[in-house]
Amino acid sequence: NAGVMQNPRHLVRRRGQEARLRCSPMKGHSHVYWYRQLPEEGLKFMVYLQKENIIDESGMPKERFSAEFPKEGPSILRIQQVVRGDSAAYFCASSPPVQGRAKNIQYFGAGTRLSVL
Amino acid sequence: AQRVTQPEKLLSVFKGAPVELKCNYSYSGSPELFWYVQYSRQRLQLLLRHISRESIKGFTADLNKGETSFHLKKPFAQEEDSAMYYCALRAIQGAQKLVFGQGTRLTINP
Protein backbone atom coordinates (compact mmCIF):
# COMPACT_ATOMS: atom_id res chain seq x y z
CA ASN A 1 0.00 0.00 0.00
CA ALA A 2 1.66 3.19 -1.19
CA GLY A 3 0.04 5.34 1.44
CA VAL A 4 -1.65 8.67 0.87
CA MET A 5 -0.23 10.28 -2.27
CA GLN A 6 -0.21 13.99 -2.78
CA ASN A 7 0.96 15.85 -5.83
CA PRO A 8 2.63 18.00 -6.64
CA ARG A 9 5.02 18.15 -3.69
CA HIS A 10 5.86 21.74 -4.47
CA LEU A 11 3.74 24.22 -6.38
CA VAL A 12 4.65 27.76 -7.30
CA ARG A 13 1.98 30.16 -8.46
CA ARG A 14 1.82 33.87 -9.17
CA ARG A 15 -0.84 35.98 -7.52
CA GLY A 16 -4.15 35.60 -9.31
CA GLN A 17 -3.46 32.14 -10.71
CA GLU A 18 -5.27 28.96 -9.76
CA ALA A 19 -3.72 26.19 -7.66
CA ARG A 20 -4.89 22.58 -7.87
CA LEU A 21 -3.71 20.13 -5.24
CA ARG A 22 -4.35 16.42 -5.62
CA CYS A 23 -4.72 13.68 -3.07
CA SER A 24 -5.10 9.96 -3.67
CA PRO A 25 -6.17 8.18 -0.48
CA MET A 26 -4.82 4.87 0.69
CA LYS A 27 -6.36 1.81 -0.94
CA GLY A 28 -9.68 1.00 0.65
CA HIS A 29 -10.06 4.44 2.21
CA SER A 30 -13.14 6.42 1.29
CA HIS A 31 -12.71 9.39 3.64
CA VAL A 32 -10.42 12.32 2.86
CA TYR A 33 -9.46 15.30 4.99
CA TRP A 34 -7.55 18.44 4.03
CA TYR A 35 -5.49 20.44 6.50
CA ARG A 36 -3.45 23.61 6.05
CA GLN A 37 -0.28 24.48 7.91
CA LEU A 38 0.85 28.09 7.87
CA PRO A 39 4.47 28.83 8.82
CA GLU A 40 5.16 28.34 12.52
CA GLU A 41 1.66 27.01 13.16
CA GLY A 42 -0.01 23.66 13.65
CA LEU A 43 -2.23 21.95 11.12
CA LYS A 44 -5.69 23.48 10.75
CA PHE A 45 -8.63 21.45 9.49
CA MET A 46 -10.20 22.63 6.26
CA VAL A 47 -12.61 20.06 4.89
CA TYR A 48 -13.75 16.44 5.23
CA LEU A 49 -15.08 14.57 2.22
CA GLN A 50 -16.41 11.17 1.35
CA LYS A 51 -16.84 9.99 -2.20
CA GLU A 52 -18.95 12.63 -4.02
CA ASN A 53 -19.96 14.31 -0.76
CA ILE A 54 -18.64 17.15 1.38
CA ILE A 55 -19.31 16.16 4.98
CA ASP A 56 -17.72 19.03 6.92
CA GLU A 57 -16.33 22.20 5.36
CA SER A 58 -16.29 24.25 8.55
CA GLY A 59 -12.61 25.10 8.11
CA MET A 60 -12.75 26.21 4.50
CA PRO A 61 -12.38 29.91 3.70
CA LYS A 62 -15.66 31.21 2.32
CA GLU A 63 -14.20 32.41 -0.97
CA ARG A 64 -11.78 31.06 -3.56
CA PHE A 65 -11.37 27.62 -1.96
CA SER A 66 -13.23 24.51 -3.03
CA ALA A 67 -12.76 20.76 -2.67
CA GLU A 68 -14.12 17.69 -4.33
CA PHE A 69 -13.73 13.94 -4.11
CA PRO A 70 -15.28 12.44 -7.23
CA LYS A 71 -16.43 8.88 -7.65
CA GLU A 72 -13.35 8.19 -9.74
CA GLY A 73 -9.98 9.81 -9.27
CA PRO A 74 -8.23 11.78 -6.57
CA SER A 75 -9.58 14.43 -4.26
CA ILE A 76 -8.83 17.95 -5.48
CA LEU A 77 -8.35 21.08 -3.40
CA ARG A 78 -8.71 24.10 -5.66
CA ILE A 79 -7.65 27.61 -4.78
CA GLN A 80 -8.69 30.28 -7.22
CA GLN A 81 -6.96 33.65 -7.60
CA VAL A 82 -4.23 32.80 -5.12
CA VAL A 83 -2.81 35.47 -2.84
CA ARG A 84 0.46 35.51 -0.89
CA GLY A 85 -1.39 34.53 2.28
CA ASP A 86 -2.28 31.19 0.69
CA SER A 87 1.38 30.15 0.85
CA ALA A 88 1.39 27.16 3.17
CA ALA A 89 1.77 23.41 3.36
CA TYR A 90 -1.44 21.58 2.51
CA PHE A 91 -1.83 18.09 3.94
CA CYS A 92 -4.28 15.43 2.98
CA ALA A 93 -5.25 12.53 5.21
CA SER A 94 -7.44 9.51 4.60
CA SER A 95 -9.22 6.95 6.72
CA PRO A 96 -11.22 3.80 6.03
CA PRO A 97 -15.03 3.73 6.20
CA VAL A 98 -16.34 4.39 9.68
CA GLN A 99 -17.79 1.28 11.35
CA GLY A 100 -20.85 2.21 13.36
CA ARG A 101 -19.86 4.84 15.92
CA ALA A 102 -16.17 3.98 15.74
CA LYS A 103 -13.77 6.49 14.26
CA ASN A 104 -10.60 5.59 12.50
CA ILE A 105 -7.05 6.77 12.41
CA GLN A 106 -6.18 9.36 9.81
CA TYR A 107 -3.13 8.61 7.67
CA PHE A 108 -1.34 11.61 6.25
CA GLY A 109 0.28 12.35 2.94
CA ALA A 110 3.62 14.12 2.58
CA GLY A 111 1.93 17.42 1.80
CA THR A 112 2.01 19.99 -0.99
CA ARG A 113 3.99 23.13 -0.33
CA LEU A 114 2.36 26.05 -2.12
CA SER A 115 4.36 29.18 -2.71
CA VAL A 116 2.64 32.25 -4.10
CA LEU A 117 4.92 34.82 -5.67
CA ALA B 1 -14.70 25.20 21.00
CA GLN B 2 -11.86 22.72 20.89
CA ARG B 3 -8.30 23.89 21.49
CA VAL B 4 -4.95 22.18 21.94
CA THR B 5 -1.98 23.96 23.46
CA GLN B 6 1.62 22.82 23.33
CA PRO B 7 3.44 25.42 25.41
CA GLU B 8 6.95 24.55 24.24
CA LYS B 9 7.88 25.28 20.64
CA LEU B 10 11.36 23.90 21.17
CA LEU B 11 12.65 21.32 23.62
CA SER B 12 16.21 20.13 23.85
CA VAL B 13 17.44 17.31 26.10
CA PHE B 14 20.50 15.11 26.29
CA LYS B 15 20.51 11.51 25.19
CA GLY B 16 19.51 9.25 28.06
CA ALA B 17 17.64 12.00 29.89
CA PRO B 18 13.87 11.86 30.50
CA VAL B 19 11.60 13.66 28.08
CA GLU B 20 8.20 15.21 28.66
CA LEU B 21 6.33 17.06 25.93
CA LYS B 22 3.38 18.97 27.33
CA CYS B 23 -0.09 19.07 25.84
CA ASN B 24 -3.15 20.74 27.32
CA TYR B 25 -6.57 20.82 25.77
CA SER B 26 -9.89 22.51 26.22
CA TYR B 27 -13.09 20.82 25.18
CA SER B 28 -16.39 20.57 27.00
CA GLY B 29 -17.24 17.08 25.70
CA SER B 30 -15.40 13.75 25.71
CA PRO B 31 -12.18 14.00 23.76
CA GLU B 32 -10.01 11.51 21.99
CA LEU B 33 -6.33 12.50 22.18
CA PHE B 34 -3.46 11.65 19.86
CA TRP B 35 0.24 12.29 19.47
CA TYR B 36 1.55 12.52 15.92
CA VAL B 37 5.25 12.67 15.04
CA GLN B 38 7.05 13.98 11.98
CA TYR B 39 10.65 12.87 11.54
CA SER B 40 12.92 14.82 9.23
CA ARG B 41 11.83 14.47 5.58
CA GLN B 42 9.01 12.10 6.49
CA ARG B 43 5.26 12.45 6.63
CA LEU B 44 3.21 12.94 9.74
CA GLN B 45 2.49 9.61 11.41
CA LEU B 46 0.50 8.51 14.42
CA LEU B 47 2.60 7.79 17.50
CA LEU B 48 -0.03 7.22 20.20
CA ARG B 49 -3.75 7.46 20.84
CA HIS B 50 -5.03 7.55 24.39
CA ILE B 51 -7.68 4.88 23.95
CA SER B 52 -5.00 2.34 23.01
CA ARG B 53 -3.13 2.82 26.28
CA GLU B 54 0.05 1.41 24.77
CA SER B 55 3.71 2.33 24.67
CA ILE B 56 5.23 3.06 21.28
CA LYS B 57 9.01 3.49 20.86
CA GLY B 58 9.20 3.84 24.63
CA PHE B 59 6.75 6.76 24.71
CA THR B 60 3.64 6.81 26.88
CA ALA B 61 0.91 9.39 27.39
CA ASP B 62 -1.88 9.41 29.95
CA LEU B 63 -5.05 11.37 29.58
CA ASN B 64 -5.64 13.44 32.72
CA LYS B 65 -9.18 14.77 32.51
CA GLY B 66 -8.85 16.72 35.75
CA GLU B 67 -5.90 18.71 34.43
CA THR B 68 -7.07 18.45 30.78
CA SER B 69 -3.63 17.25 29.79
CA PHE B 70 -2.11 14.54 27.64
CA HIS B 71 1.62 14.87 28.18
CA LEU B 72 3.99 12.63 26.22
CA LYS B 73 6.78 11.00 28.21
CA LYS B 74 9.81 8.84 27.67
CA PRO B 75 12.19 7.88 30.47
CA PHE B 76 15.38 7.75 28.39
CA ALA B 77 15.64 9.84 25.24
CA GLN B 78 17.41 8.53 22.15
CA GLU B 79 18.91 10.54 19.30
CA GLU B 80 16.40 9.09 16.84
CA ASP B 81 13.60 10.68 18.87
CA SER B 82 14.53 14.08 17.44
CA ALA B 83 11.46 15.18 15.49
CA MET B 84 8.44 17.45 15.45
CA TYR B 85 5.65 16.27 17.77
CA TYR B 86 2.03 17.32 17.47
CA CYS B 87 -0.73 16.74 20.00
CA ALA B 88 -4.22 16.47 18.50
CA LEU B 89 -7.78 16.18 19.74
CA ARG B 90 -10.92 14.77 18.21
CA ALA B 91 -14.42 14.81 19.65
CA ILE B 92 -15.62 11.31 20.54
CA GLN B 93 -19.14 12.33 19.53
CA GLY B 94 -19.63 14.19 16.31
CA ALA B 95 -16.97 15.67 14.05
CA GLN B 96 -14.17 13.59 12.59
CA LYS B 97 -11.76 16.49 12.26
CA LEU B 98 -8.54 16.64 14.23
CA VAL B 99 -7.58 19.79 16.13
CA PHE B 100 -3.80 20.14 16.37
CA GLY B 101 -1.49 21.99 18.70
CA GLN B 102 1.30 24.12 17.29
CA GLY B 103 3.85 21.38 17.70
CA THR B 104 7.05 20.94 19.71
CA ARG B 105 10.39 20.43 18.03
CA LEU B 106 12.32 17.94 20.12
CA THR B 107 16.08 17.80 19.76
CA ILE B 108 18.09 15.09 21.47
CA ASN B 109 21.70 16.08 21.97
CA PRO B 110 24.39 13.38 21.98
Side-chain angles (χ1 to χ4, degrees):
Chain A
N1 197 328
V4 179
M5 303 301 293
Q6 288 188 249
N7 67 80
R9 290 294 308 277
H10 301 276
L11 183 60
V12 180
R13 285 287 176 267
R14 297 191 181 281
R15 280 179 295 171
Q17 291 184 319
E18 179 179 282
R20 282 190 171 212
L21 289 65
R22 293 175 184 75
C23 170
S24 296
M26 287 178 70
K27 189 176 180 181
H29 288 194
S30 56
H31 296 216
V32 164
Y33 315 79
W34 285 94
Y35 294 84
R36 177 167 64 175
Q37 184 177 33
L38 295 170
E40 304 297 319
E41 293 188 15
L43 283 73
K44 296 275 196 304
F45 169 79
M46 298 181 77
V47 62
Y48 162 40
L49 309 104
Q50 295 176 22
K51 284 283 186 183
E52 300 184 280
N53 284 306
I54 295 175
I55 307 302
D56 180 357
E57 56 182 348
S58 58
M60 286 281 268
K62 293 286 185 278
E63 296 176 349
R64 303 187 297 107
F65 284 72
S66 62
E68 62 178 10
F69 188 17
K71 190 175 180 181
E72 302 290 338
S75 175
I76 306 285
L77 179 68
R78 183 183 291 111
I79 311 172
Q80 295 178 303
Q81 299 176 310
V82 296
V83 300
R84 289 226 173 98
D86 298 332
S87 295
Y90 292 82
F91 291 93
C92 171
S94 74
S95 67
V98 175
Q99 302 288 340
R101 298 179 72 173
K103 294 181 182 176
N104 288 295
I105 294 168
Q106 294 179 24
Y107 296 85
F108 282 80
T112 293
R113 193 163 297 278
L114 173 65
S115 297
V116 180
L117 304 179
Chain B
Q2 301 161 17
R3 178 174 286 179
V4 176
T5 303
Q6 293 179 250
E8 302 140 328
K9 278 189 130 175
L10 302 169
L11 183 62
S12 183
V13 301
F14 285 102
K15 179 182 170 182
V19 172
E20 183 179 47
L21 288 84
K22 292 186 167 47
C23 172
N24 290 91
Y25 67 90
S26 63
Y27 178 53
S28 55
S30 295
E32 189 176 6
L33 274 295
F34 304 83
W35 277 99
Y36 277 83
V37 60
Q38 188 172 28
Y39 300 103
S40 179
R41 300 182 188 282
Q42 294 186 28
R43 61 188 64 193
L44 202 63
Q45 56 187 282
L46 180 67
L47 181 64
L48 284 178
R49 59 194 302 196
H50 88 270
I51 61 172
S52 300
R53 304 183 71 83
E54 57 191 348
S55 173
I56 305 291
K57 299 185 179 183
F59 284 97
T60 58
D62 291 316
L63 179 60
N64 185 323
K65 291 188 177 180
E67 295 183 0
T68 59
S69 69
F70 188 57
H71 303 327
L72 184 67
K73 299 177 184 178
K74 184 169 182 176
F76 307 104
Q78 298 171 297
E79 287 185 67
E80 54 265 32
D81 296 328
S82 294
M84 196 74 187
Y85 290 80
Y86 293 95
C87 183
L89 174 154
R90 181 169 67 186
I92 286 183
Q93 300 286 346
Q96 293 266 10
K97 66 182 181 184
L98 290 168
V99 177
F100 284 87
Q102 284 188 295
T104 298
R105 182 170 296 283
L106 176 64
T107 302
I108 307 301
N109 299 306

